[in-house]
Amino acid sequence: MSMPEAAATVEVQEPDGKIKSSGPRHIRMLGVLTEDEEAQGAFKTMDLNRVINLLEETDKDDLEEKQLNSVKKLVQCYQNGLPLRDLAQIFKILNLCAEKIENQPHFIESAFNILKLCGLPFLKKKVSDEITYAEDTANLIALLGELMKIPNSELRIQICKCIIDFYHAEPPKKHITGYQRANSSYKIKMAEVSGLAKTMVESLTLLENQLVEKLWVLKALQHLSTSEVNCTLMMKAQAAREICAHLNDPDPSGQLLFRSSEILWNLLEKSPKEETIQQLSNLECLLALKEVFKNLFMRGFSHYDRQLRNDILVITTIIAQNPGTPMIECGFTRDLILFATFTEVKSQNPLVKGLKLSNSYEDFELKKLLFNIIVILCKDLPTIQLLIDGKVILALFTYVKKPEKHKIMEWSAAQYEELQLHAIAALSSVAPFLTEEYMLCQGNARVLAFLEWCESEDSFFSHGNSFHGTGGRANKFAQMRYSLRLLRAMVYTEDETINNDLCEKGTIQQLIGVFKNTISKSNDREEAIVLEIQSDILLILSGLCEHHIPRKEIFGTEGVDIILHVMKTDPTKLRTGLGYNVLLLSTLDSIWCCILGCYPSEDYFLEKEGIFLLLDLLALNQKKFCNLILGIMVEFCDNPKTTAHVNAWRGKKDQTAASLLIKLWRKEEKELGVKRDKHGMIIDTKKPLFTSFQEEQKIMPLPANCPTLAVMDVAENIRAKIYAVLGKLDFENLPGLSAEDFVTLCIIHRYLDFKIGEIWNEICEEIKLEKLRPVNTDKKILEAITTASENIGKMVASLQSEMIESQAHQDVQNEQKVYTKIQATHKQRELANKSWENFLARTSNAKTLKKAKRLQEKAIESSRYSKPPPNAIFHRTDIKGLNTTVPSGRVVTVESTPARLLGGPLADTDIALKKLPIRGGALQKVKAVKTE
């Protein structure tokens, strides 16, 4: 039998001559290889069950030597790779060797050699072997983790090497006939299934004082942590906490810190981030991180040390985002603030004595990371005092100034610009918590002076390379944007000391001037950043002017002009996504805060057709603007001049403002699911305003200070504002309304009555739910109120029905008038045709002409006196012998027949004139003529 056949199935010859074939996982027989077969890389077949039985025996004297020899032969047999079909038996052999190590140390070498085999490629005979033997493979890999418990350094190191080989598999030394190499990722997948990563983490507790072995385990975990599945398993074994707590363990090689930080990075990226941060948010881990960072900051000078220092700081930044992290308790916060500010604020602290940052890329990144972590730390209120002690505001303000010429700087121009923008951005987050420090540093004056430089024409070439410098290349827009963000943050602290100081320094006029300049300087390339700048300016002005009439007067007509400029923006730009929506919302907020309540500004706004622009925006029917615009309209209608402007407005198809508001009401009710019939009439007179949400929600007893559904409904949709605007306009004599509008107007007119009825209904329901019984007087009053509310609903429904019937009757009358007009038109055409036929008859038939002449003479005679008055002179009005049937005089002027009567040169074509003359005239082309 050839060797390939022996490899496929094991065949044994029985005494009777029959050949018995065993299954794929039964006895492997010893065989003899020829030199050619050995050169081709064929397997030496081996009886693995015999090796297992031999290892299980315990009662023979020379047994140990036989067992060791059998294992040695096994290792020689599989030196080119392990077939997947044999893994189960090899797994059992390895396990038996491991059990004997404690009493028989010679088996350490056997286990070591078998472990070397596990690092070789796995071989499959069939494509399906990877699936068939997946469980056996997973069990073998899981055993590797269990063997870490054996207190032998070489064995542990070999296990780690074996795991690392999973990720750096080398091809077999020889091609094995009949076998293929398993997929390169097969071992990695089986390692995930086996839970090896969790076992390896648990083995770290056994290696606290054994640095070499620990480094090998960390190297193996570094490879295993590249998988999300393994990271999840490692987190179950508290890997993040265990590894981080030992970051500062002594290690001359520096590998422990490098590999540990790499594993922590992988855990943060590939496992649930919250769980990882939670494991790291303890005093032990933070103390280790603190000491490592301090050592690297003060004593790390190589490129590698600086990179590692920055990595540790990033990990710390992520941990600091957890509100419960004891950053202050471990002293890390104080040190970080010191390291962030020591180059700007002189300090005598020995930690930074003699330290200096270079302009290398790593130190530059460190500076930005320190600014970033200050922003995160300031969100924890106990940190505020440390920020004050560290003079953080003063340190950050050293960057809020125009670049000084001919000054030696430790940073390059591009680096300084990026740090400047980063510092101003950090101030926007930190300064609102430290308002007293901000004012002590004259923050307003510094920012306004810097803003003035941003607006100036000084030569300055910005690089715009950073995240904060987006859109600011070769201009000062980036600096202007972050300065305005800082001002906006300070204004919205609502600290009157800051706001009064800003107004005294002329901030309102300065910002209006900046806005006008951005209009003239803007172009398509910087359009987005300019829109953001304009939005921030309007928001700052709104914050300063709100509730202060004198400041609104300072805002004045110049401020109204910039608001009107924005409102005239092309509506199609609202869909570009560049920021026009935000700008328009800021503009509407400015109208509310800077114009309303100041009568000169209101009058100027009306004079410049501001109400028309507001209604044009409302007609766009964009939901995000409707609520705010209607609120502004309600306030503007208190001005008696507003009503005329609202009534004079006309939209598309001559739509009036009242019609627009009623249309918005119908749309809102449709979205809210209010029940109405096809004509817009009330269906449920008890609940005429109920929305679908109110129908779904059950009424529950609430405390007196909690708003009910009916009350909340007033604020959650625009119906109340539409009612208020139409109420200010007076519900009578509204122009341009259709019958459908009048039907809806009936409901709007009674909105307040219906809403009061809703609230009383809720009160009644709550009384029933709480099982309270009102006294008779109260009960009668409640019933009377409920009945009155329902009667109002019935009255409105009845009025709506009358309107619809009246409109239907009016439609019938209008239709009848149209029919009458059509009928008169047809009769006129018939008379014209008859006149034309008579004319043709008279001109083509002599008898008819004579008859017409007689009738004419008879008519003339009948119109004369029967007896002429005495002494009257009789004058004849006709000429005897004249054969015409039209009135004639003694003098007749004959003119050429007009072309319109003859038809002109096109009279014989299909496009000839077809208009029929009522009285006489020349012949024209007609389809048919009946001759009498």
Side-chain angles (χ1 to χ4, degrees):
M1 183 173 63
S2 67
M3 286 308 299
E5 291 174 349
T9 58
V10 179
E11 297 179 346
V12 183
Q13 189 168 1
E14 298 266 320
D16 57 358
K18 295 181 180 179
I19 294 178
K20 182 179 179 181
S21 175
S22 68
R25 294 179 57 185
H26 284 74
I27 298 173
R28 301 285 292 175
M29 299 298 295
L30 292 172
V32 180
L33 289 177
T34 64
E35 292 180 0
D36 293 339
E37 288 173 332
E38 187 172 3
Q40 291 174 3
F43 270 123
K44 296 178 180 179
T45 57
M46 188 167 187
D47 186 355
L48 296 177
N49 284 341
R50 181 176 175 278
V51 178
I52 293 170
N53 293 334
L54 186 62
L55 289 170
E56 289 175 346
E57 292 180 6
T58 57
D59 54 352
K60 293 184 180 180
D61 297 335
D62 57 345
L63 186 62
E64 182 177 345
E65 186 177 353
K66 292 181 179 180
Q67 290 172 338
L68 292 173
N69 288 332
S70 64
V71 174
K72 188 179 292 185
K73 290 179 181 179
L74 180 144
V75 171
Q76 290 176 351
C77 179
Y78 293 106
Q79 61 184 347
N80 290 324
L82 293 177
L84 292 173
R85 60 191 298 175
D86 295 338
L87 284 181
Q89 292 160 306
I90 293 172
F91 156 72
K92 192 167 184 179
I93 293 169
L94 177 60
N95 200 17
L96 289 170
C97 291
E99 291 173 357
K100 293 178 179 292
I101 287 174
E102 186 176 358
N103 299 320
Q104 297 171 277
H106 293 95
F107 277 94
I108 290 176
E109 184 181 357
S110 299
F112 183 85
N113 292 329
I114 296 175
L115 285 172
K116 278 188 175 181
L117 297 180
C118 294
L120 297 174
F122 288 169
L123 304 174
K124 60 182 179 182
K125 195 170 187 65
K126 300 177 182 178
V127 175
S128 61
D129 281 357
E130 290 184 1
I131 300 172
T132 306
Y133 302 106
E135 185 178 354
D136 295 343
T137 308
N139 290 335
L140 175 62
I141 294 175
L143 179 62
L144 297 179
E146 296 297 329
L147 294 178
M148 289 295 296
K149 297 176 183 178
I150 299 174
N152 182 275
S153 177
E154 292 183 359
L155 205 61
R156 287 170 173 171
I157 293 173
Q158 183 56 44
I159 292 170
C160 294
K161 288 181 179 179
C162 181
I163 295 170
I164 294 168
D165 286 340
F166 291 177
Y167 297 85
H168 305 285
E170 295 181 0
K173 297 177 182 178
K174 295 181 181 179
H175 175 69
I176 311 300
T177 306
Y179 284 89
Q180 295 179 2
R181 179 184 174 184
N183 195 310
S184 58
S185 62
Y186 182 67
K187 285 184 179 181
I188 298 173
K189 291 178 182 177
M190 290 300 102
E192 294 174 357
V193 174
S194 66
L196 175 64
K198 181 180 178 182
T199 315
M200 294 299 292
V201 173
E202 292 170 348
S203 68
L204 283 172
T205 56
L206 306 172
L207 309 173
E208 290 186 2
N209 300 319
Q210 301 171 39
L211 180 59
V212 177
E213 298 168 29
K214 183 186 286 188
L215 291 177
W216 276 104
V217 172
L218 288 174
K219 187 175 181 180
L221 287 173
Q222 185 181 351
H223 286 79
L224 289 170
S225 63
T226 56
S227 159
E228 292 184 7
V229 176
N230 286 335
C231 285
T232 305
L233 292 169
M234 291 168 67
M235 290 304 299
K236 291 179 180 179
Q238 301 290 311
R241 180 170 187 162
E242 181 68 25
I243 293 170
C244 186
H246 294 86
L247 277 177
N248 206 32
D249 287 358
D251 173 28
S253 68
Q255 289 188 46
L256 186 144
L257 182 56
F258 166 69
R259 300 197 186 282
S260 298
S261 62
E262 186 72 20
I263 294 169
L264 290 176
W265 263 114
N266 291 338
L267 290 175
L268 286 167
E269 287 182 355
K270 300 182 185 300
S271 63
K273 191 174 181 180
E274 296 76 12
E275 185 181 350
T276 309
I277 293 174
Q278 197 62 40
Q279 284 191 24
L280 296 172
S281 300
N282 59 77
L283 202 58
E284 186 181 12
C285 291
L286 288 172
L287 284 170
L289 286 168
K290 172 191 168 185
E291 293 303 320
V292 168
F293 181 74
K294 283 171 59 177
N295 290 334
L296 291 171
F297 192 91
M298 295 187 295
R299 301 179 184 87
F301 298 102
S302 67
H303 176 76
Y304 164 77
D305 288 342
R306 289 171 176 172
Q307 280 188 332
L308 193 56
R309 172 198 63 190
N310 292 354
D311 289 346
I312 295 297
L313 184 55
V314 173
I315 293 172
T316 305
T317 304
I318 296 171
I319 298 171
Q321 294 174 4
N322 184 14
T325 305
M327 293 286 293
I328 298 175
E329 290 82 348
C330 68
F332 206 175
T333 299
R334 186 180 295 277
D335 290 346
L336 288 171
I337 292 172
L338 174 65
F339 293 145
T341 60
F342 81 95
T343 55
E344 292 81 19
V345 180
K346 291 183 179 180
S347 174
Q348 300 301 322
N349 194 304
L351 288 177
V352 294
K353 190 175 182 180
L355 277 180
K356 187 177 181 181
L357 296 179
S358 67
N359 62 354
S360 65
Y361 176 77
E362 290 76 22
D363 284 352
F364 174 60
E365 288 296 315
L366 171 70
K367 194 69 180 176
K368 293 194 294 181
L369 289 170
L370 288 169
F371 283 167
N372 185 54
I373 200 169
I374 284 176
V375 172
I376 293 170
L377 291 174
C378 75
K379 296 175 184 177
D380 186 15
L381 293 181
T383 310
I384 299 301
Q385 188 58 45
L386 295 177
L387 294 173
I388 294 172
D389 296 341
K391 299 181 180 179
V392 171
I393 296 294
L394 180 60
L396 293 174
F397 262 122
T398 58
Y399 292 93
V400 187
K401 60 184 179 182
K402 65 179 182 179
E404 298 179 10
K405 296 180 180 179
H406 310 297
K407 182 180 179 181
I408 299 174
M409 298 175 63
E410 58 185 357
W411 306 108
S412 68
Q415 287 176 333
Y416 182 80
E417 180 191 353
E418 190 169 347
L419 288 176
Q420 182 184 61
L421 294 172
H422 208 130
I424 301 172
L427 273 171
S428 302
S429 300
V430 179
F433 296 102
L434 304 170
T435 53
E436 292 183 6
E437 299 298 311
Y438 176 84
M439 293 303 294
L440 287 173
C441 294
Q442 297 183 340
N444 287 337
R446 291 186 186 224
V447 177
L448 292 175
F450 187 69
L451 189 61
E452 186 177 354
W453 171 78
C454 294
E455 192 185 1
S456 68
E457 298 295 334
D458 291 354
S459 58
F460 175 73
F461 183 80
S462 61
H463 295 76
N465 296 325
S466 65
F467 166 78
H468 296 286
T470 304
R473 188 168 184 82
N475 57 51
K476 304 172 189 173
F477 281 147
Q479 286 81 357
M480 184 183 292
R481 173 170 61 171
Y482 282 96
S483 302
L484 290 170
R485 281 189 186 179
L486 174 56
L487 279 180
R488 186 186 69 188
M490 299 312 298
V491 166
Y492 278 90
T493 58
E494 298 182 356
D495 188 322
E496 279 304 309
T497 305
I498 295 173
N499 290 352
N500 285 333
D501 185 56
L502 283 170
C503 293
E504 289 171 2
K505 288 180 168 56
T507 305
I508 294 176
Q509 298 96 318
Q510 184 177 350
L511 291 178
I512 291 173
V514 172
F515 193 102
K516 291 180 178 178
N517 287 337
T518 57
I519 294 173
S520 60
K521 291 180 181 179
S522 63
N523 54 55
D524 293 339
R525 192 179 62 179
E526 290 97 15
E527 188 173 9
I529 190 172
V530 169
L531 291 174
E532 184 181 342
I533 288 171
Q534 292 175 346
S535 300
D536 283 340
I537 289 173
L538 292 176
L539 288 172
I540 293 167
L541 292 172
S542 299
L544 290 174
C545 295
E546 191 174 14
H547 309 309
H548 292 83
I549 300 299
R551 296 177 188 174
K552 293 182 181 181
E553 291 174 351
I554 296 172
F555 183 80
T557 57
E558 288 188 3
V560 175
D561 285 335
I562 64 174
I563 286 176
L564 293 171
H565 172 80
V566 177
M567 293 177 68
K568 293 175 182 177
T569 302
D570 185 359
T572 56
K573 292 184 177 180
L574 296 175
R575 297 189 292 271
T576 59
L578 293 173
Y580 281 98
N581 284 319
V582 177
L583 178 60
L584 189 53
L585 287 170
S586 304
T587 305
L588 295 174
D589 187 55
S590 298
I591 295 173
W592 193 292
C593 299
C594 302
I595 297 177
L596 287 172
C598 180
Y599 295 118
S601 297
E602 286 186 10
D603 291 344
Y604 185 75
F605 184 81
L606 292 172
E607 180 185 339
K608 293 295 183 179
E609 299 182 351
I611 288 295
F612 290 177
L613 296 174
L614 275 176
L615 289 169
D616 288 339
L617 290 174
L618 189 62
L620 296 176
N621 205 4
Q622 295 200 17
K623 197 170 182 65
K624 53 194 167 190
F625 299 134
C626 286
N627 205 351
L628 191 53
I629 293 172
L630 287 170
I632 294 170
M633 292 288 296
V634 171
E635 297 297 326
F636 251 115
C637 285
D638 289 336
N639 190 322
K641 299 178 182 178
T642 304
T643 305
H645 286 262
V646 175
N647 288 331
W649 178 82
R650 291 294 181 271
K652 292 182 179 179
K653 298 181 180 179
D654 207 30
Q655 186 182 33
T656 62
S659 175
L660 172 62
L661 292 171
I662 293 171
K663 181 182 177 182
L664 289 174
W665 176 285
R666 282 198 295 267
K667 182 186 176 186
E668 185 74 6
E669 287 199 329
K670 185 177 180 181
E671 291 176 355
L672 294 172
V674 181
K675 293 180 180 178
R676 297 281 184 263
D677 67 3
K678 63 180 181 178
H679 300 294
M681 289 178 54
I682 294 173
I683 294 177
D684 188 351
T685 55
K686 292 183 179 180
K687 302 174 182 178
L689 297 178
F690 251 46
T691 64
S692 58
F693 177 75
Q694 289 175 282
E695 293 281 359
E696 293 169 3
Q697 298 296 318
K698 294 181 179 179
I699 296 175
M700 297 176 63
L702 296 171
N705 60 344
C706 292
T708 62
L709 289 173
V711 176
M712 288 167 58
D713 175 72
V714 175
E716 289 176 351
N717 57 69
I718 62 174
R719 291 190 293 178
K721 291 184 176 67
I722 293 174
Y723 166 77
V725 174
L726 289 174
K728 297 284 180 72
L729 296 177
D730 193 359
F731 288 101
E732 303 295 333
N733 302 322
L734 294 175
L737 299 185
S738 63
E740 186 182 11
D741 292 338
F742 279 112
V743 169
T744 307
L745 189 63
C746 293
I747 301 172
I748 301 174
H749 194 190
R750 289 290 183 173
Y751 172 78
L752 190 58
D753 296 329
F754 290 149
K755 187 55 68 174
I756 292 171
E758 269 187 37
I759 293 170
W760 278 110
N761 284 333
E762 285 184 338
I763 292 171
C764 293
E765 290 296 328
E766 287 186 15
I767 290 172
K768 290 178 183 178
L769 290 171
E770 293 178 354
K771 298 182 180 179
L772 299 175
R773 189 173 63 184
V775 297
N776 291 334
T777 306
D778 290 345
K779 186 177 180 181
K780 289 179 181 178
I781 293 172
L782 286 173
E783 290 175 353
I785 291 171
T786 306
T787 305
S789 176
E790 188 175 352
N791 288 338
I792 291 173
K794 291 178 180 178
M795 181 188 70
V796 172
S798 175
L799 181 59
Q800 288 178 320
S801 299
E802 290 178 8
M803 285 183 175
I804 291 171
E805 290 175 3
S806 174
Q807 181 62 32
H809 181 67
Q810 184 66 36
D811 290 343
V812 171
Q813 287 184 338
N814 292 339
E815 186 178 353
Q816 189 62 43
K817 287 180 181 179
V818 172
Y819 284 144
T820 304
K821 188 175 180 180
I822 293 171
Q823 190 176 11
T825 302
H826 280 283
K827 188 174 182 180
Q828 186 66 19
R829 286 178 182 173
E830 289 176 2
L831 290 174
N833 289 337
K834 189 174 181 180
S835 173
W836 175 248
E837 290 171 359
N838 290 337
F839 174 74
L840 289 180
R842 292 197 305 272
T843 55
S844 58
N845 192 326
K847 292 181 179 180
T848 304
L849 180 62
K850 290 177 181 179
K851 183 179 180 181
K853 180 66 175 176
R854 287 195 299 271
L855 289 173
Q856 184 184 29
E857 290 174 350
K858 186 177 180 180
I860 291 171
E861 288 298 328
S862 64
S863 66
R864 291 174 178 172
Y865 291 108
S866 56
K867 293 181 180 181
N871 302 323
I873 299 173
F874 179 73
H875 298 278
R876 294 186 63 84
T877 58
D878 57 347
I879 302 171
K880 288 186 176 182
L882 185 64
N883 294 323
T884 62
T885 56
V886 294
S888 304
R890 294 184 178 275
V891 179
V892 178
T893 302
V894 179
E895 296 179 354
S896 177
T897 306
R900 63 184 179 82
L901 298 177
L902 295 175
L906 301 177
D908 296 328
T909 66
D910 292 334
I911 60 172
L913 297 173
K914 298 180 181 180
K915 184 177 178 182
L916 300 176
I918 297 175
R919 319 182 224 166
L923 291 176
Q924 299 182 34
K925 182 177 179 181
V926 294
K927 289 185 178 180
V929 177
K930 185 184 287 185
T931 305
E932 292 183 359

